[in-house]
Amino acid sequence: MIDLLLKMIHTTHSIRVRYAETDPMKYVYYGNYATYFEVARVELFRTLGISYDEIEKQGIWLPVSEYNIKYLKPALYDELLEIHTYIKKFPGVRIEFEYEIYNQSKQKLTEAKTTLFFLDAATNKVVKCPEFLKEILEKNWKD
């Protein structure tokens, strides 16, 4: 196994704020951030070479067990947001994603973290990170 202590996975994904995602002040409605983070997680796996759908077809579900967010500044209608997604700890039975959202002016708007766990779809039991996913993560782990 490679040295995982000083390494991580980091991807970025851009999304433009749509009108339907905002409140009357044209601020992104707070509940929509969870969707942005889900999109970023799905795209992280796609960047690594596996789709979320393929993970599920391999019999693994990834339910969210924790979600923490800190709003620093509002994201606004029609802004192009850049979502940075990190995996900083190699997963065991849980996988943690950290996020930072920046606007076009490179201002940090939001920090967040989600914790998901690996669930065997057939048995509905919590399991360790499956080998097929460990191999993909190890291959993409970087300084």
Side-chain angles (χ1 to χ4, degrees), residues 72-98:
L72 305 171
K73 295 179 183 215
L76 304 172
Y77 168 63
D78 204 40
E79 279 189 316
L80 185 62
L81 305 179
E82 188 173 78
I83 306 169
H84 291 254
T85 308
Y86 304 88
I87 302 173
K88 294 181 178 178
K89 297 179 192 171
F90 205 79
V93 297
R94 288 185 273 305
I95 185 167
E96 296 177 357
F97 297 88
E98 295 181 32

Side-chain angles (χ1 to χ4, degrees), residues 9-105:
I9 290 174
H10 171 223
T11 61
T12 60
H13 180 72
S14 296
I15 192 164
R16 187 167 300 278
V17 176
R18 294 165 289 210
Y19 188 79
E21 298 166 342
T22 63
D23 63 18
M25 297 178 291
K26 297 192 180 165
Y27 289 10
V28 170
Y29 177 70
Y30 77 94
N32 287 320
Y33 286 88
T35 301
Y36 292 172
F37 300 137
E38 180 182 355
V39 168
R41 281 194 309 275
V42 167
E43 292 304 321
L44 177 143
F45 282 120
R46 190 180 318 282
T47 299
L48 300 182
I50 189 166
S51 70
Y52 227 79
D53 187 49
E54 182 58 34
I55 294 169
E56 291 177 345
K57 284 178 182 172
Q58 296 270 347
I60 297 296
W61 291 335
L62 287 162
V64 174
S65 63
E66 292 181 45
Y67 173 45
N68 298 63
I69 187 165
K70 183 174 184 179
Y71 303 99
L72 305 171
K73 295 179 183 215
L76 304 172
Y77 168 63
D78 204 40
E79 279 189 316
L80 185 62
L81 305 179
E82 188 173 78
I83 306 169
H84 291 254
T85 308
Y86 304 88
I87 302 173
K88 294 181 178 178
K89 297 179 192 171
F90 205 79
V93 297
R94 288 185 273 305
I95 185 167
E96 296 177 357
F97 297 88
E98 295 181 32
Y99 313 90
E100 296 173 340
I101 297 180
Y102 294 85
N103 65 14
Q104 295 163 196
S105 301

Side-chain angles (χ1 to χ4, degrees), residues 60 63 92-94 117-120 123-129:
I60 297 296
V93 297
R94 288 185 273 305
F117 58 95
F118 298 99
L119 191 69
D120 184 298
T123 65
N124 211 30
K125 301 227 185 246
V126 176
V127 294
K128 288 184 179 176
C129 180

